[in-house]
Each structure stands twice: as structure tokens, then as C-alpha cells.
Amino acid sequence: MSKIIPIFYLPKEYEEDMRMLAQGLVANNGQTLKVALSWLEHKLVTHKAHKGKPAGTPMSATTIKNYLAGFYVLDLYKADGHIYSDIKTEKTRASISVQSKIQVINPLENLAQNFSSLEAFNENLTQICSQYSQLVKDYSNARFLLYEKHQLSENPEASQLQELLIKHCGYSYVGNPGVGYLDLFYRHKIQIDNYLNLLDFILNNYRDIAQKSLGLVPVAQIRDRVVKQVLDYTEEDLKKHLIQLQLTHRIELRTTKSQLARNMGIDLIDIRGVKYGFIKILEPAIAV
């Protein structure tokens, strides 16, 4: 049977909305989708003016229902005992009955109950989808194939993706914006892998130094080593990934006064207009 990507919707660019939707599903686990929908009403608001209504207006029940259907498409909960990928359907638009009884998968339940930062939530949701969502896994494999064999750019247009997936990857239908959300998951997973690989590099090369210096490692020392040793790795890549490691609470970037840096014989690294001398590797990363 050929694969399809249905038309579905997610507020993927608004991490706080994604977390609220996850919390709504978990808070009403075992109930009907209608109960979860009622729980979420007035907790979610629009971010842009629409049809004469200003930003900040409570989201309509239809919009919220569409978003919850998007979570179902990603296999994040069962409806009446079935995950989306179990159902052999050729429907091109994702939909789900509000009378369906929902059962959230355990990883999403654990994530929604963890009051972590939005950045950490977003990372973990992407990792969960990459592991449990058949739609995401199939798309990621297809996307990598298109990159390897057809030199697909990093940020292609949805129309180009639709054409190539149908032509080369066994899809009979590719819905938009569904394919756009899958591409966001794909690119975010690459970003996550990149900054986690940097963390591994730092730990493999500087764990001993960090353990002897309260977790502190000179940023310039890392820069000099990683940029020289990793092919096509630029200083801008380093800065971008260090910011993400800080946002996900694996490191802290430590500012250092210029005179102190000169006294210690270290260079300062400018990241977004702030000069840093050290990173502090946080537990439990340093103990891994």
C-alpha cells in the first residue's frame, strides 16, 4: 500500500501551544476527545488577527480539534485503542471523532508532566516523534534519500517536496501543510543531533579538565579544537550550538572580564554581542 501524508495542522512554531495541547491530552487521558477539547478551550488564544478578530482571541473549538487531530496523526495518542498508523486509510485530510476515547502514549505523558523549559519540551517532543511516529520516521527516511540522491536543498518549498516524494519515495498523496510540519520535525532533529554531537565532543575531550575545575572549560579552547578537527564546522556553528546547549540546560555560558581573561591567558568569544570566557558543563552531563 502506498504511503500518504494527510492534510493536518499543528501550532509547531508556537512551543507554548504545543505544550498546552500535550497537557490537555494528558490531563484528560482515558476520557473522550470532547472532554480534552473542552479543557483546552479558553486556554489557547490566537497569535495573529484573523477575520476581523484581534490577536489574543480564544481559539475556536474547530482549530483546537484540528490541532488535536495533528497529535493523533503523529501517533502520540490512541483513539478507541488505535494509533493513526494502525489504520489503513486513504483519507487525505486527518480527522477524528470527538467521541473517541483517548489513550496518551507514555513518553508524551511523562513529558507533559515535566515542567521543563519550552526549549527542552520542544527537543523532547521532536525526539519522541522521531521514535514513535510512523509518519515522521517514513518522512525522515524519504527526506534523507532525496538529499542523498537528488541533492534536495535544506529548506525546500512544499510544492517541490510534494512532487519529489510522490515521484521517488512511494507516496500516493502528500498533503500541505502536513508535509511542512514533517519537514520542521526533520530539520529540528538534525539541529538536535548537531548540538548533542558537540556536547559529546566536549565531554570526550574536556571531561577530565571540567571535573578538576568545577565544570569550567575555556570556550576558545573548545573553539580552536572543534573547528580544526570537525570538517566544515565553523565558529558560527559552534556559537549556535552552544546557545542551544545552554537553552536546554546542559551548559552555562560564563561571561569573563577582559582583564581577567588576559591574566589567565584565554581568549574571549563573542556570542550575540556578549563576551564569554568559559562554559560550565552542568550535571548530569559531566557525569555521563
Side-chain angles (χ1 to χ4, degrees):
M1 185 176 181
S2 61
K3 295 173 288 187
I4 72 164
I5 296 174
I7 298 169
F8 67 94
Y9 299 89
L10 289 170
K12 186 71 175 70
E13 65 272 37
Y14 300 110
E15 296 165 359
E16 66 274 18
D17 290 355
M18 293 291 286
R19 183 162 67 178
M20 181 58 70
L21 288 162
Q23 290 172 340
L25 287 167
V26 169
N28 298 282
N29 199 12
Q31 303 296 318
T32 64
L33 192 69
K34 185 176 182 179
V35 174
L37 182 59
S38 297
W39 188 93
L40 285 162
E41 287 187 87
H42 303 290
K43 290 183 173 71
L44 292 166
V45 298
T46 59
H47 297 273
K48 300 175 182 177
H50 182 64
K51 293 183 177 180
K53 295 181 179 180
T57 302
M59 278 187 195
S60 69
T62 299
T63 298
I64 298 172
K65 181 176 178 290
N66 286 338
Y67 289 157
L68 292 175
F71 271 64
Y72 179 56
V73 165
L74 296 177
D75 295 335
L76 294 173
Y77 66 92
K78 294 181 178 181
D80 294 333
H82 297 285
I83 57 176
Y84 175 80
S85 59
D86 283 341
I87 301 171
K88 303 301 182 183
T89 177
E90 288 294 333
K91 290 182 179 179
T92 58
R93 184 184 179 92
S95 63
I96 182 171
S97 169
V98 294
Q99 300 304 325
S100 301
K101 188 175 180 180
I102 61 176
Q103 181 184 347
V104 178
I105 65 171
N106 289 335
L108 184 67
E109 186 173 15
N110 295 336
L111 176 60
Q113 293 172 343
N114 183 353
F115 294 97
S116 59
S117 67
L118 283 173
E119 292 82 9
F121 170 84
N122 197 31
E123 176 191 310
N124 282 287
L125 181 64
T126 297
Q127 299 283 39
I128 289 169
C129 289
S130 297
Q131 183 176 355
Y132 292 94
S133 169
Q134 193 62 48
L135 207 64
V136 172
K137 289 189 286 187
D138 286 344
Y139 177 81
S140 297
N141 290 336
R143 184 71 159 76
F144 183 74
L145 174 71
L146 292 176
Y147 173 77
E148 286 285 294
K149 294 190 175 182
H150 302 281
Q151 292 74 53
L152 186 65
S153 66
E154 291 185 3
N155 191 16
E157 295 291 333
S159 58
Q160 184 185 19
L161 281 171
Q162 289 172 303
E163 178 184 351
L164 292 175
L165 288 169
I166 291 171
K167 186 175 181 179
H168 299 292
C169 302
Y171 286 87
S172 60
Y173 179 83
V174 176
N176 188 28
V179 68
Y181 299 124
L182 295 180
D183 205 58
L184 287 175
F185 277 110
Y186 172 80
R187 286 187 277 125
H188 188 216
K189 180 66 167 66
I190 291 174
Q191 179 190 41
I192 291 168
D193 290 345
N194 285 338
Y195 65 71
L196 292 183
N197 286 339
L198 174 62
L199 181 63
D200 286 342
F201 183 92
I202 293 170
L203 291 173
N204 289 337
N205 290 279
Y206 297 100
R207 181 186 280 110
D208 291 344
I209 294 173
Q211 287 175 334
K212 296 173 183 177
S213 58
L214 302 177
L216 295 171
V217 181
V219 182
Q221 190 173 340
I222 296 171
R223 186 266 320 270
D224 293 343
R225 191 163 187 173
V226 74
V227 171
K228 288 178 181 178
Q229 290 190 11
V230 181
L231 185 65
D232 294 332
Y233 202 99
T234 68
E235 187 166 331
E236 287 307 309
D237 292 329
L238 175 70
K239 293 176 181 180
K240 179 175 63 177
H241 296 146
L242 287 175
I243 289 292
Q244 286 301 126
L245 288 173
Q246 176 165 260
L247 288 172
T248 53
H249 306 294
R250 292 178 170 95
I251 68 167
E252 287 179 0
L253 291 164
R254 294 291 181 89
T255 57
T256 309
K257 292 183 179 180
S258 298
Q259 185 59 54
L260 177 60
R262 283 194 291 270
N263 292 343
M264 299 181 70
I266 64 170
D267 293 331
L268 297 180
I269 303 296
D270 187 294
I271 303 178
R272 297 183 180 178
V274 180
K275 293 184 177 181
Y276 296 99
F278 295 90
I279 69 163
K280 179 177 173 61
I281 305 173
L282 300 177
E283 297 284 358
I286 196 172
V288 172

